[in-house]
DNA sequence: CTGAAAGCGCTTACAG
DNA sequence: CTGAAAGCGCTTACAG
């Protein structure tokens, strides 16, 4: 048996005794339809289980109801959070999320992006780091006149709206927390050199030290690259010094987990001998012992805000419409767990927030 | 300035001096086009940067070139792996992946699924656990006659093709590994009661014990639910017994991480005092100390296989075409790391595979 | 090997 | 408040 053909707008119009234009009006919630007519149409729609076909709407109307999400590292918890927020917000708004995994250094990156947008003509694109800072990607998108929102880009571009959190402030807060616990020998493991988040978090660290008049000890600053292995290696370096740090602020959770692993390997007690703080609140951060003190990025909310910016800014509103793109900064959250404690204490840490 | 309109098939046809049908033939790689004509068309396509519009192809041709991925727990590493494989394979095949995050127990689940498929008319859907076992989801999909592939479903349904790994065998292998390391008091923490993977892994555990004539000790069997907290709790139960187990097989990594955390909290050395094995090879498994011995599911490959099944089986090939759906079982991989070691040894474990 | 016509199922102007 | 017409940009089925 061949499957029954789904009802079309013509079927609905015939059954309801109106024109297809009126059906269209009802479905798109356009004003100017008599309420009785509306009711009648809606009833037929329900009876016939009519659902407008997206490809037809798209072809005729010029909107695809598709939002694209471009990402690089699929294992990154960051991307998972962003995707979750984006897909939920899309559903609420009647859009759908198309995802594409791209290598940041693929030679044909521009072509891959171009292919996607030319075929799908998404109404907007969401870019996550490091793709949101990739000139190839950005220029391919510009050429196709696809609106896009950058999530946590290196710099706020004048061309595109962006959504981010305040890395500097968050890093400062977490460093303040360590200071308030009595630590003064606080090491930092910096993130990847080419990512601006690394710089910003380092800035926050410096600011906190300065505010508390703690002199910067260059021996306590180690270059990392956001990987677990970098965290392990940095920890060995730091913990082999004569004057060990009593606390380590790793610029992300993966590195913090590396520090934790190295400390345990060396037989140090965490947080008794060493307090450790991370950044990101990845799923793994709560699945180790002791659970990590860290910063929760509002990934969900950033993604939702990105979708909203895209839906609100139709393609080619251009220079005329909104004079300049919006740059939103969303609030983060300090997550104090058991990997940080009062200096010298063997007990559990106090969840005191730094001033 | 209004953005320049993208070229259409008509522009290409005019420029190349052929009919649009011929352009269509070239682009769709249909046979029966003179090679010179083909070259000429291709040149114009390149010059004009022509890209067929997906919504038009979809409306006229009845194929959307969209594959849907339905998932429940976005933090699950499993979903990340599946998505990665699916999106890459889709790109290779000229398809795109649309993702949708669904609550397995949402009251309007059927409607949400119906909305997606009715609007997008994807050429196929990929379902991950537990959604692939959800009657609401399956019936909504059946009603819309959308082909779908189930990834690791509870049971192989006659209606749908599926892709899975061999949970029983993998669990047996990992138990064998522990036995080969000299362990006989091997505990198991079972997975969630309603998931069949739990049952299968337990079966594999039982089979390995039986093969080695090790009597089952009910005290070493603890019910879990796949969460970190369940692992912690189960570990406390197991490790407080007079006769402690010397090894624990947790039915997934999250629970294994819980066991590891609990052991460390109790001051036990892993693997010196306790060997721990997990299942899944989540990102966190390699980010703890000691790194977890576990089983890597071929998530990538399963997803690729799923996409292939979908592309190969056009909508409504129906009963006529392929008599019955295919059920594929893909090979897994034992990942032996440092959380397992020879009974009583304080040294690193040998990476010996069980017979 | 190539093409003219019809049609996919909607929305956009434009009328009334 | 409602509708008849044109058109979005392709593919299908049919001719030659």
């Amino acid at each position: 048996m061949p499957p029954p053909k789904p009802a079309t707008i013509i079927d609905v119009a015939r059954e309801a005794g109106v024109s297809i234009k009126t059906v269209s009006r009802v479905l798109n919630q356009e004003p100017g339809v008599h309420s009785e007519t509306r009711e009648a149409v809606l009833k037929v729609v329900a009876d016939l289980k009519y659902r407008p076909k997206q490809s037809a709407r798209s072809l005729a109307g010029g909107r695809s109801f598709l939002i694209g999400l471009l990402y690089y590292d699929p294992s990154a918890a960051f991307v998972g959070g962003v995707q979750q927020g984006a897909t939920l917000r899309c559903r609420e708004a009647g859009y759908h999320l198309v995802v594409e995994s791209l290598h940041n250094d693929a030679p044909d990156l521009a072509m891959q992006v171009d292919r996607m947008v030319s075929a799908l003509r998404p109404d907007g694109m969401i870019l996550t780091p490091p793709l949101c800072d990739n000139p190839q990607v950005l220029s391919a998108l510009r050429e196709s006149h696809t609106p896009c929102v950058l999530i946590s880009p290196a710099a706020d571009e004048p061309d595109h709206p962006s959504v981010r959190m305040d890395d500097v402030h968050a890093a400062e807060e977490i460093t303040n927390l360590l200071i308030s616990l009595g630590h003064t020998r606080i090491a930092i493991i910096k993130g990847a050199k080419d990512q601006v988040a690394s710089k910003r978090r380092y800035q926050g660290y410096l600011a906190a030290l300065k505010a508390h008049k703690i002199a910067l000890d260059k021996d306590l600053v180690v270059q990392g690259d956001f990987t677990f292995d970098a965290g392990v290696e940095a920890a060995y370096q730091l913990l082999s010094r004569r004057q060990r740090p009593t606390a380590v602020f790793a610029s992300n959770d993966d590195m913090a987990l590396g520090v934790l692993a190295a400390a345990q390997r060396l037989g140090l007690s965490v947080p008794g001998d060493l307090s450790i703080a991370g950044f990101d609140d990845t799923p793994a951060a709560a699945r180790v012992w002791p659970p990590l003190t860290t910063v929760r990025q509002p990934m969900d909310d950033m993604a939702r805000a990105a979708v909203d910016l895209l839906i609100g800014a139709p393609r080619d509103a251009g220079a005329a419409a909104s004079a300049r793109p919006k740059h939103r900064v969303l609030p983060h959250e300090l997550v104090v767990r058991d990997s940080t404690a009062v200096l010298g204490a063997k007990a559990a840490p106090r969840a005191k927030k730094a001033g």
Side-chain angles (χ1 to χ4, degrees), chain A:
Chain A
M1 66 167 197
K5 278 201 172 181
T8 71
I9 196 172
I10 297 182
D11 300 325
V12 176
R14 188 193 313 114
E15 195 76 14
V18 298
S19 71
I20 60 168
K21 175 61 206 174
T22 295
V23 177
S24 175
R25 281 198 182 93
V26 171
L27 261 32
N28 290 301
Q29 323 215 43
E30 289 173 32
V33 180
H34 197 87
S35 63
E36 282 178 27
T37 312
R38 180 181 305 274
E39 297 302 323
V41 169
L42 252 21
K43 181 170 176 358
V44 176
V45 164
D47 288 351
L48 266 43
K49 295 191 179 177
Y50 169 66
R51 305 269 186 273
K53 194 164 170 173
Q54 183 261 354
S55 58
R57 294 184 75 189
S58 174
L59 183 58
R63 293 194 300 165
S64 66
F65 299 96
L66 256 26
I67 300 285
L69 171 65
L70 263 32
Y71 62 90
Y72 171 46
D73 182 1
S75 76
F78 183 79
V79 171
V82 169
Q83 179 172 317
Q84 184 65 3
T87 179
L88 294 184
R89 186 71 192 95
C90 276
R91 179 156 67 225
E92 290 167 9
Y95 281 68
H96 293 276
L97 191 72
V98 183
V99 298
E100 199 89 14
S101 173
L102 263 22
H103 274 282
N104 193 40
D105 46 355
D108 56 343
L109 191 56
M111 205 195 67
Q112 289 179 5
V113 173
D114 177 59
R115 269 202 186 174
M116 179 192 189
V117 295
S118 318
L120 257 29
R121 318 276 166 111
D123 293 335
M125 296 287 272
I126 299 175
L127 311 192
T128 53
L131 295 171
C132 60
D133 302 315
N134 189 307
Q136 307 236 38
V137 174
L138 290 175
S139 83
L141 252 17
R142 197 178 345 258
E143 248 180 73
S144 65
H145 296 266
T146 307
C148 45
V149 173
L150 315 184
I151 299 213
S152 298
D156 283 338
E157 286 213 27
D159 291 1
H160 304 291
S162 69
V163 183
R164 64 163 73 253
M165 63 167 289
D166 188 342
D167 281 282
V168 177
H169 193 60
E172 189 173 350
E173 282 183 277
I174 211 155
T175 310
N176 280 342
L177 168 70
L178 294 169
I179 294 172
S180 75
L181 292 171
H183 297 278
T184 52
R185 296 193 54 73
I186 303 170
I188 183 168
I189 306 176
K190 293 162 81 174
K193 282 186 179 174
D194 58 327
Q195 283 185 235
V196 175
S198 311
K199 209 169 300 178
R200 293 215 179 91
R201 292 171 196 176
Y202 183 52
Q203 271 175 39
Y205 165 81
L206 293 180
L209 292 189
K210 190 167 181 185
H212 291 83
K213 314 209 170 169
I214 298 175
L216 173 66
D217 182 347
K218 290 268 179 165
D219 279 356
L220 297 183
V221 179
V222 182
Q223 183 64 49
D225 63 4
F226 284 140
T227 66
F228 176 81
D229 289 341
V232 172
E233 199 166 324
Y236 282 139
Q237 270 186 49
L238 289 167
L239 300 176
S240 66
R241 302 207 193 299
R242 276 163 302 127
Q243 280 250 56
R244 282 209 304 247
T246 61
V248 175
F249 166 36
S251 295
N252 77 342
D253 281 354
D254 274 2
M255 295 198 296
L257 292 171
V259 175
L260 177 60
Q264 291 175 335
R265 216 159 163 177
L266 293 173
L268 293 180
S269 149
V270 175
D273 298 321
L274 184 73
S275 281
I276 301 175
F279 205 107
D280 277 350
D281 197 23
T282 61
R287 287 169 169 74
V288 290
W289 185 256
L292 281 185
T293 290
T294 185
V295 174
R296 205 185 87 71
Q297 297 205 47
M299 301 168 293
D300 256 68
D301 297 334
M302 293 197 293
R304 285 175 164 275
V307 172
D308 285 339
L309 285 169
L310 255 14
I311 294 177
R315 180 188 300 260
D316 315 322
S322 54
R324 40 164 207 189
K326 291 154 191 158
H327 302 292
R328 298 197 50 188
V329 177
L330 264 35
H332 56 266
E333 188 188 341
L334 216 59
V335 181
V336 181
R337 298 205 184 93
D338 298 342
S339 66
T340 47
V342 170
L343 177 65
K346 291 282 175 186
R350 273 172 291 165
K352 185 187 163 198
K353 196 163 168 201

